[in-house]
Amino acid sequence: MTNRERILAILAGRAPDRIPWIPRLSIWYEANRLAGTLPPEYQGRTLREVERDVFGGTAARDGIIWRSRFRNVEVRVHHPSPMETITEYVTPVGTVTTQHRATEHLRRHGIQDAEVGFMLKQREDYPVVEYLLEHTDYLPAYDDYLAYEAEVGEDGYPMVNCGDCPFHHWMRALCGYGQAFYHLSDHANEVERLVAVMTDRFKETVWRHILDSPASLLMHGHHLSSQMTPPPLFRRYILPYYRELTPLVRARGKTVAIHADNDTRLILALIKEAGIGMAECFVTSPMVRTTLAEARAAWGEEVIIWGGVPSVILEDPYTEEQFERHMDELFHTIAPGQAFILGIADNAMPGSKIERIRRITRMVEENR
């Protein structure tokens, strides 16, 4: 079977010929390319060429099904310094700003700038962000998706990023983790209203594209965690959203995935209850408290796991013996391999040893 066929078999609840092995190498590749430290055999080669050589496929994370644009909003971008970007969103009801800051370390490794200033800073910002939500159009880009799927071919199958669920988008992207719980306490009415507006807007736009587009593997939810979205918040603000969406998606023969590169130990049961079909870039101990065995026990084969290889075991100070032991335990835990795609959580980092990644490729073949 090809990688595409293996992924489609997993999505359909069937057993492939072997466990699919589809790691993400983009951070490792870009950091080493910029530093001039790619292995000699990969100098001058594209990421896609490196992926094909290392594991015989591609991670296929660049597909889109819509393009968004504002209506009646002026966007002003300022660069007070080479390491700082301030963006103003000017609307008829007010202006909000964001601030992004780079470091030499981030730039050196080709990693995006960190957001250090968020739109929602005070109560008065909420009507402005509500206006932005109501004046954002999502234009279909289905032809772009189909072209990308054709380009990926048999090397893999595209997973389309459809953004976050409303409550966590408010928490992570609009308010920021550092202030979210203060806002939830001090501006509860504004938070509730904004999340409701966002939910309605997503139903009108995002859901339509999720359901009607030609894409079948749709990532909608990022970084949900035991710490920032613990069970009480998950039940109140997140569970109802997914319980309404996921049956509609399943009825179209599609799968909703979440980007699960966080500690999910306390919300494993809720992820299943939400009807989420896949935990992508699923991270486990030793990076977080969650173990692969706990996830398998909680989810069975109802939630597909894509991940399982913590990126830290691919580099020092983990020894070759520790690496081999971890991988042996992983294969034992997930045997016979149903509802499982092996991947790195969440990415091979700049210091990852490419020899270990190649070793996993051989292990997968040995564990057919």
Side-chain angles (χ1 to χ4, degrees), residues 158-195:
M159 176 181 291
V160 177
N161 185 352
C162 299
D164 212 341
C165 61
F167 178 78
H168 193 245
H169 181 73
W170 161 79
M171 172 178 275
R172 180 183 61 87
L174 299 179
C175 186
Y177 288 138
Q179 294 296 314
F181 288 99
Y182 293 108
H183 279 240
L184 200 56
S185 175
D186 298 342
H187 312 314
N189 291 337
E190 286 76 11
V191 173
E192 296 270 357
R193 175 181 170 83
L194 186 67
V195 171

Side-chain angles (χ1 to χ4, degrees), residues 182-342:
Y182 293 108
H183 279 240
L184 200 56
S185 175
D186 298 342
H187 312 314
N189 291 337
E190 286 76 11
V191 173
E192 296 270 357
R193 175 181 170 83
L194 186 67
V195 171
V197 167
M198 200 185 318
T199 299
D200 290 342
R201 189 71 183 127
F202 280 15
K203 288 180 180 180
E204 297 168 359
T205 56
V206 172
W207 286 24
R208 175 166 55 86
H209 291 308
I210 286 175
L211 296 173
D212 294 344
S213 77
S216 293
L217 182 52
L218 303 129
M219 181 170 62
H220 188 43
H222 300 167
H223 316 298
L224 304 177
S225 70
S226 302
Q227 292 74 28
M228 301 308 296
T229 54
L233 289 185
F234 197 110
R235 288 193 186 95
R236 178 170 179 178
Y237 293 107
I238 297 173
L239 186 60
Y241 178 83
Y242 282 112
R243 290 186 72 174
E244 186 174 350
L245 170 64
T246 55
L248 302 176
V249 176
R250 285 197 303 273
R252 299 288 183 98
K254 302 185 178 193
T255 301
V256 169
I258 60 169
H259 187 66
D261 62 340
N262 241 326
D263 180 10
T264 52
R265 189 166 181 260
L266 300 181
I267 57 173
L268 290 173
L270 289 168
I271 289 171
K272 178 180 175 180
E273 187 178 346
I276 291 163
M278 176 185 288
E280 179 261 352
C281 279
F282 183 66
V283 67
T284 61
S285 174
M287 291 175 66
V288 296
R289 293 183 63 191
T290 317
T291 68
L292 190 57
E294 288 172 331
R296 288 301 253 184
W299 293 340
E301 296 177 9
E302 292 186 47
V303 180
I304 300 164
I305 294 173
W306 188 333
V309 179
S311 61
V312 294
I313 73 166
L314 301 175
E315 54 186 297
D316 294 330
Y318 282 83
T319 65
E320 296 300 323
E321 292 75 19
Q322 289 173 316
F323 163 74
E324 293 280 342
R325 189 182 315 121
H326 186 100
M327 293 306 303
D328 286 344
E329 292 173 358
L330 183 152
F331 284 114
H332 176 76
T333 300
I334 56 93
Q338 298 287 84
F340 188 85
I341 300 171
L342 188 63

